[in-house]
Structures are given as C-alpha cells and as structure tokens.
Amino acid sequence: MTTTTIARTTETALSPADTLNRNGFVRIPGLLDPQFMDTLLLRAHARLFRESAEAREKVKSNGSLCHLSDSPEFADIIGHKGLIDTLRGLGASDPRWTGGFLISKPAGGPPLFWHQDWWGWTEPESYKARPQQWFAMIYLTDTTPENGCLRVIPGSHRHDHPLHHLEAAHSAELQGFLNPDNPAFAAHPDEVAVPVTAGDVLVGDARLIHSAYGNATAHERPLLTLWYMPHWDTMSPGMQARAMMGYMRNDDIVTPERPLTPLDWTPELRARVEDVLPTMEGSPSPIAWVRTPDVTRFAA
C-alpha cells in the first residue's frame, strides 16, 4: 500500500513566493470568500449540465475540459483583483491570462495522468528558475485524496524525474482512460497530495509534474484552472506569439470551428478582464509547440 504524503504549508518558514519557486507550487488559503465560491460552484454545475456525456467520456481521465473562453460568466474570477494581487505578490511583474478550463471529475471518476503543461521546451529560458507560465487552480469544493485532489512531484519543474520519461501526455488514450494499467495513472513514491478547502487557491509552475487522484465519492469535484503568464512584458516575442495562439485558440487543442475568445464577449464582461488580457505588437514568428523537455538541459 502506498502511503500518501500531504503537503503541509505550516512545515516551512519560507515565504509563499519562495515556496512556489522551490517546490513548484504553493497553496494560498482562504483567498476567495464563501459567498463568491457559492456563485462559482453554481455556474460550474450549470456549465457541466450543458456538456454532453460524449464530450466528457472522451476526456474521462480529466473529467471535463470546458474552455473558459466559451463561458464569459467566469470573467469575474479571471480578473479577480485579489487573485491578480496575489500573483503579483508571488513575483508576477505583468500577469496576463491566456486561457483556462473547467475540469470537473464526476463521482467515481478515474485518476488524472501524470504530466506537465509547459510547451516552450525549445527555449533556453524554459530551463531557468524564472517561470514563464503559472496555473491558478480553484477547487470549488473541499478536496482531498478521496475525491480527487491534486498530487504533485515537488521540485520537478526544475529537475529531471522518472515521470518525465513516460509517453507524451494528453493523448486520446490517456485522456480517455483507455488503459487503466498505464503507469501514467499509477501512484509514485515521490507524490505529495495537496488537499484544499474551498476558497483556497493553488498557484503552480506549468513545468511541475502533477496529476490528480480519482474521485471515490458520490459527488462531482469541480475545478477551475486558470493560466497566466506572470512576466508577459519581458517574455520573448516568439513565446508571446505562441501564447497568443493559445489565447486565440489557434493551437493544437481541438476546438469548435469558430471558438470564442474574450474578444467576442460583451463590453461589460470584457471590462472585467481587460487588464489581464495579452496584447502584442507586430507579427513575430511563434516558437515551436514542444511539450517534452530535454532533460539534459535541466540544472544539476
């Protein structure tokens, strides 16, 4: 039997920013108030009600992948002042939102596969300490290993790890949970569980290897994952151009023929996110979309 290690933020005297830099993730407790969380939860359930069973079955391991650009009713969390101020407090010089998903694991849903989400591994800055992309995860209910909380490999955003050498993540086979015996779903002795209370926010480096436990309960476990570039103003033009492709939904993620972006939102809703939307000048060539690191380039 594998013993689950629980992340304990009280066990370290590091600041939140230093914890994020060292471990690749940090929990910010109680950032969002209960009333606001209730409204997010209601909106999430309404959005899931509109998602087809077929669409959810294709991403059974994730549970759902509802792009938030299709759901402008979440504008107030994307541009939430407390959240953006928190990102700045963690070191973000110019945080810009480039996308996000409602990722909800249904009752009885399987575990999520191990993966990391960074796509710029051709570039030398991807192997340095300064992050290029963060996730902000907002679980809408209290979340534990029993109902599918996050599990991570601390420090894997900067160092080689055996899980880097699994098959490429995000394949149809992994997302559909077609082979439950695939090692990408297995427990790992280095894993750390990150349970949260609704209202907490988890901020993590896109390079961090992570997954989620299965949901062994009889209730849905909804999560909003928001993607921010913390240093947009100093990203290379090629990285900005590739990030803009994701923001405009013109990348390798399958979308409807005419997917929505915040450019399609009403002026009132767009105003809520205007300060964190990415913009760029000119038409630089985007870097290649590469999600597999060259582990020989990690720092010793």
Side-chain angles (χ1 to χ4, degrees), residues 142-172:
D142 295 352
T143 308
T144 67
E146 288 68 37
N147 70 342
C149 76
L150 184 73
R151 55 179 176 172
V152 303
I153 306 296
S156 57
H157 60 310
R158 296 289 320 285
H159 302 287
D160 186 17
H161 189 274
L163 291 175
H164 278 122
H165 301 270
L166 296 177
E167 66 177 277
H170 304 284
S171 67

Side-chain angles (χ1 to χ4, degrees), residues 2-11 23 25-27 114 137 139 143-154 187-197 200 202 208-214:
T2 301
T3 301
T4 300
T5 302
I6 305 293
R8 304 291 187 189
T9 56
T10 56
E11 293 176 356
N23 294 335
F25 72 100
V26 66
R27 181 177 69 91
W114 289 107
M137 290 183 174
Y139 288 88
T143 308
T144 67
E146 288 68 37
N147 70 342
C149 76
L150 184 73
R151 55 179 176 172
V152 303
I153 306 296
H188 194 279
D190 295 339
E191 74 183 42
V192 170
V194 192
V196 298
T197 299
D200 299 347
L202 291 175
L208 179 73
I209 296 175
H210 62 283
S211 66
Y213 296 97

